[in-house]
Amino acid sequence: MTAKNVPTKRNPIVFLSYSWKNIEEADEIDNHFEALGIIFQRDVRDVGYKGSIKKFMQKVGKSDFVLILVSDAFLSSANCMYEVMELMRDWEFDKRMLQVILPSAKVFDSDYRIEKIQYWEKVKKQIKDKAKGIELEHASEIAEQIKHHENICLNIGSFLQHLSDHNSTSYTDLKGKSFQPILNHIGFDKDDLISQLNRLLEIKDKEEKEIAIEEFTDIHPSYAPGFFVRAFIQTVSKKRIHYYNKAIAIDENFAKAYYNRGYAKS
């Protein structure tokens, strides 16, 4: 089976939703999945110069899954909550949502959930009060802001309740399990080739890891993500380019391999 014939479940569209105050965790999980050939939709990668942030955030509704790094900063951000509201347009949104709870989000505490609801009610009131002195020509922009915050106030309670009602794994626990629970949820079980790569990436000794991944590509010479990972762990640019070329030769539509190869050449 060539990489082109690998089942489509191996390449789900996963949107990464997070607060910039948690960029360290976002980078870590992004890099881990990227090494496996799973590329998240993410602002820093997909919103170019003069690109529309709003249009990017609306991609939430079109993705297969939305991985949310839930933190206090996330729950206090209008942009982050916009992404949540886009997700909640889907009445079966819970099947697509992959929530990861960071320590600052006390979503299992009812007092905390009430505080968050009160926080957004206060923000909405502040915007409405400021809008009273706005000139008519600016009214449409303010009206859109008010509508957005009213939507947050309307749904924040049910969103927080959903988080507290469902079994969610902490970031630390997920990291300790090599994010395997997420891989399982999006359709990868312990027998998948990508899961085998995942386990190989966890090998601490660099030489041992490189040998193990080399053996993997010898056994699966037609599996493009294997050579992508082999390229990813290289420290010498020529070797990285060589293995990205191999991945592209197997799967000419492997966009991330093209991107990384170009970066390695620069």
Side-chain angles (χ1 to χ4, degrees), residues 48 52 63 65 70 118 137 161 168-169 179 181 192 217 231 256:
S52 170
S63 61
F65 298 97
V70 183
Q118 291 173 334
E137 59 264 29
Q161 189 64 46
S168 302
T169 307
F179 303 103
D192 286 325
T217 55
K256 192 59 181 177

Side-chain angles (χ1 to χ4, degrees), residues 62-193:
K62 300 177 182 178
S63 61
D64 296 317
F65 298 97
V66 181
L67 197 161
I68 301 177
L69 299 184
V70 183
S71 67
D72 186 71
F74 180 93
L75 295 171
S76 303
S77 164
N79 281 346
C80 292
M81 295 311 300
Y82 183 90
E83 293 173 357
V84 170
M85 297 304 107
E86 286 294 310
L87 173 62
M88 292 181 74
R89 287 174 180 266
D90 180 357
W91 68 280
E92 290 188 318
F93 75 90
D94 58 313
K95 294 181 179 179
R96 298 170 50 227
M97 186 171 75
L98 309 170
Q99 64 265 29
V100 180
I101 310 299
L102 299 180
S104 62
K106 313 296 183 183
V107 295
F108 301 105
D109 183 335
S110 60
D111 288 341
Y112 176 85
R113 297 197 300 271
I114 292 171
E115 287 173 6
K116 278 297 155 196
I117 294 170
Q118 291 173 334
Y119 166 80
W120 283 110
E121 289 287 353
K122 181 180 179 181
V123 172
K124 181 184 71 172
K125 184 178 182 303
Q126 289 173 342
I127 293 174
K128 284 187 172 182
D129 288 344
K130 289 179 181 178
K132 292 176 182 178
I134 298 295
E135 296 294 333
L136 185 61
E137 59 264 29
H138 303 299
S140 60
E141 179 184 348
I142 298 301
E144 185 175 346
Q145 285 190 41
I146 292 173
K147 181 179 178 181
H148 171 45
H149 284 80
E150 285 179 339
N151 194 24
I152 293 174
C153 290
L154 184 65
N155 291 284
I156 183 66
S158 59
F159 177 66
L160 290 170
Q161 189 64 46
H162 178 85
L163 292 176
S164 65
D165 284 347
H166 289 72
N167 184 25
S168 302
T169 307
S170 71
Y171 183 83
T172 302
D173 288 344
L174 278 172
K175 182 180 174 182
K177 296 174 182 176
S178 304
F179 303 103
Q180 193 62 46
I182 293 177
L183 289 169
N184 291 343
H185 188 85
I186 64 178
F188 301 110
D189 60 37
K190 64 181 180 180
D191 296 322
D192 286 325
L193 294 180

Side-chain angles (χ1 to χ4, degrees), residues 200-214 233-235:
L200 296 180
L201 280 168
E202 292 304 308
I203 297 174
K204 302 299 182 184
D205 184 87
K206 291 183 179 180
E207 289 187 11
E208 185 181 344
K209 180 191 297 183
E210 188 166 352
I211 291 170
I213 294 175
E214 180 181 355
I233 65 171
Q234 300 298 322
T235 56

